[in-house]
Each structure stands twice: as C-alpha cells, then as structure tokens.
Amino acid sequence: MSDQIQRFMFDQTNVRGEIVTLATAYHEVLTRHAYPPAVNELLGELLAAVALLTDTIKLDGTLSIEVRGQGVLSLLMAESNPGGELRAIARIAEDSHLPSERTSFRELVGEGQIVITLDPREGNRYQGIVALDHETLSGCLEAYFSQSEQLPTRLWLAADGERAGGLLLQRLPDAAQNQDTDAWERSVALADTIKTEELLGLEQREVLYRLYHEETVRVFEPKSLRFGCTCSWERMADALITLGADELRDILREQGAIDTQCHFCHTKYHYTAADIETLLDNPDAPSPVIH
C-alpha cells in the first residue's frame, strides 16, 4: 500500500474530500523514537491529519499542527512541507509515566490547545489556535475549520502502529455549484459507517467505492507522501543563536565545541568554536562544506 493522498469530489455538488494512507512514512517516524503504543497511534492520526490539512488548504509551504497539553503528553507535533514530506514528534511531560495500554486522546493530553501554523513560501505566516474542547483529535480539528476557515469539515482518523489513514470531507461555500441539496448530509452519513480496518487496510479507491458506489465521484491523481525532515546545519545554528552569545561561549569554554541533534530525525550537528564565533559575528554566513 503506497503512502499517498488522493483528492475526490462529488459531481454537481459543493462537497469535496481527501483520503490519505501512510505506512512507510509512519514507520520512519516511529523507528526514530521509542514511544508507547498509545502515543504511536496518536502520532499516526496526527500525521494523517497534517497531510489532509495541507492538501485541503492547498498550501505552498509548510504546515504544522501542535497539540500542547497539560497532561502526561505535553506535546504532539506533525509537520508537512511542499515536497510531500512529513515528520512528527511527541514529548512526555517531566516526571510523568505514560500508560502502556491504549488510552484516549484527552486522557493523554488533558487541557490545552491546538496550534496550526501555515508558513507559505511567499506571503505572511498565519497561526490558528483552538482549545482542546473535544474528546478526539479529529473533533478538535473540525472545530478549527469551523472557527478559522468557517467551512463545514469532518475528519475520520485512524492508526494502529503499523498504518495510519484519514478521510476528510468539506462543504464549500459555493452553493451555486450544488445541484444536490442533501449531498453534504448524505456523504457524511455514509462516511460515518467506515470501519478502522477499512480505512487502514484497503486501497483508497476501494474505500471510496464501498462508501460512495451509488454517488458520482470524480477521483483525481494521487500525490505521493514520504518521511522527510527540514532540519539543516543553518536551521540548527539559528536555534543556537537564540541562546545568546554569553551562554554559547560558556558552553564552548566547558566543552570546546557544541554538538546537537534534531529531535525529529536524530541527525547530529557539530559546531566548532570558530563556527560559533562566525555565526555570532555574521548570522547570515554560509555553512561549512562538511560537518
């Protein structure tokens, strides 16, 4: 089963949808960490969600979803970029112990908020924030669309530690294109019948056929997805510079150099004392050829 996302729409209606399936990219995220099963499943749902939102909003840039909670799971974050690359991470609150058995979304994250950041290649960065007022990740994201995009949107998300998948339906505001007044309610009611094993185990066209074989559905070419990280020597250097010159020089006096690594992909980066001084003197200086 390929890692891909596929757009579809119902002819002569103002209803459109996206369906996503992830296996290899999801596996790549999990192999870099050692999270309990409950966290692995939530990360899978979040990866599916960030892919769905990126394609739905049609963003030419980076989109990230951060779940900031006050429970034992303090952070869940997933990010996509224009090349169809996905990455994700979780952070467990200090002195907290995650249960080994399956636990609900709200039990893990507690109170908090979801922050969705749209960072286009051109134009201004946008950030939307919604409270964790629903029992599921999909419910919280639906609230985001209702509040920020003002478009009726429904999501179905699933993950089992091996595969992740998601389905999104959205009703567009252009009622003039809609020649079927019951299309939205009917498409949502049919999607509510989908089983987790179908969303995770069947090919996307088979899922759409099972749900909508009595509807006129136009299916577009799928887009491939994969794991990918946006870290780089320059981006990590930018993060180091925020510590300030005094703290960086204190670290250099103690250690002689600075070694750090990306939390997402675990790539390691090395900065000599000369590198740090060059960055402090000229933050826009190019990176060395080899590190």
Side-chain angles (χ1 to χ4, degrees):
M1 185 177 293
S2 301
D3 287 28
Q4 64 181 33
I5 187 165
Q6 192 158 48
R7 184 165 63 96
F8 62 93
M9 63 184 300
F10 300 90
D11 280 351
Q12 299 182 329
T13 79
N14 59 347
V15 181
R16 69 178 181 186
E18 307 272 353
I19 184 169
V20 64
T21 308
L22 298 169
T24 303
Y26 181 32
H27 176 73
E28 288 286 334
V29 168
L30 299 188
T31 55
R32 284 165 168 77
H33 307 280
Y35 301 128
V39 178
N40 289 342
E41 291 177 10
L42 277 181
L43 276 178
E45 290 188 14
L46 197 63
L47 278 168
V50 79
L52 288 169
L53 265 64
T54 301
D55 218 55
T56 299
I57 296 171
K58 294 180 173 58
L59 176 70
D60 183 20
T62 300
L63 186 148
S64 66
I65 304 174
E66 294 179 64
V67 181
R68 302 174 181 174
Q70 299 175 11
V72 295
L73 193 58
S74 61
L75 176 71
L76 280 167
M77 179 181 178
E79 183 183 88
S80 72
N81 66 36
E85 295 177 324
L86 310 172
R87 65 179 189 169
I89 195 173
R91 184 176 300 150
I92 300 169
E94 292 185 11
D95 302 321
S96 296
H97 298 282
L98 283 165
S100 57
E101 298 180 357
R102 183 181 178 88
T103 308
S104 72
F105 171 70
R106 285 303 301 276
E107 287 175 325
L108 284 174
V109 301
E111 300 297 322
Q113 59 189 11
I114 290 183
V115 180
I116 298 175
T117 304
L118 282 62
D119 193 2
R121 294 189 206 223
E122 298 181 3
N124 297 324
R125 193 166 178 260
Y126 168 81
Q127 200 167 70
I129 300 175
V130 291
L132 293 173
D133 287 340
H134 297 268
E135 294 302 312
T136 63
L137 174 62
S138 58
C140 293
L141 294 173
E142 289 169 1
Y144 162 78
F145 274 100
S146 176
Q147 173 182 305
S148 300
E149 303 292 325
Q150 298 183 342
L151 292 174
T153 305
R154 291 290 312 275
L155 290 100
W156 294 260
L157 302 170
D160 62 3
E162 297 289 337
R163 296 157 299 175
L167 176 67
L168 178 147
L169 292 177
Q170 190 170 73
R171 185 174 66 188
L172 301 175
D174 189 2
Q177 298 294 322
N178 186 27
Q179 300 181 28
D180 184 346
T181 57
D182 297 325
W184 171 247
E185 289 77 10
R186 190 170 63 253
S187 61
V188 168
L190 290 169
D192 274 333
T193 68
I194 194 169
K195 299 179 176 63
T196 296
E197 54 268 27
E198 292 176 321
L199 191 55
L200 298 181
L202 297 178
E203 295 292 336
Q204 293 173 347
R205 286 178 179 263
E206 176 64 18
V207 172
L208 295 177
Y209 178 78
R210 289 195 181 196
L211 292 176
Y212 302 120
H213 58 274
E214 294 184 357
E215 309 291 325
T216 304
V217 182
R218 189 186 312 173
V219 180
F220 297 86
E221 283 297 314
K223 173 184 175 182
S224 296
L225 302 170
R226 62 190 181 279
F227 172 81
C229 196
T230 55
C231 71
S232 66
W233 195 93
E234 294 86 352
R235 292 190 69 176
M236 297 298 283
D238 288 342
L240 287 175
I241 292 301
T242 63
L243 297 176
D246 291 342
E247 184 167 349
L248 289 174
R249 286 172 178 144
D250 286 343
I251 297 172
L252 288 172
R253 278 191 289 270
E254 292 177 8
Q255 302 178 6
I258 297 178
D259 292 294
T260 187
Q261 70 176 32
C262 174
H263 294 302
F264 288 92
C265 68
H266 292 176
T267 297
K268 295 181 179 180
Y269 295 94
H270 178 76
Y271 300 86
T272 66
D275 292 334
I276 297 300
E277 291 300 331
T278 298
L279 289 166
L280 290 173
D281 292 338
N282 181 12
D284 297 323
S287 66
V289 176
I290 296 175
H291 270 280

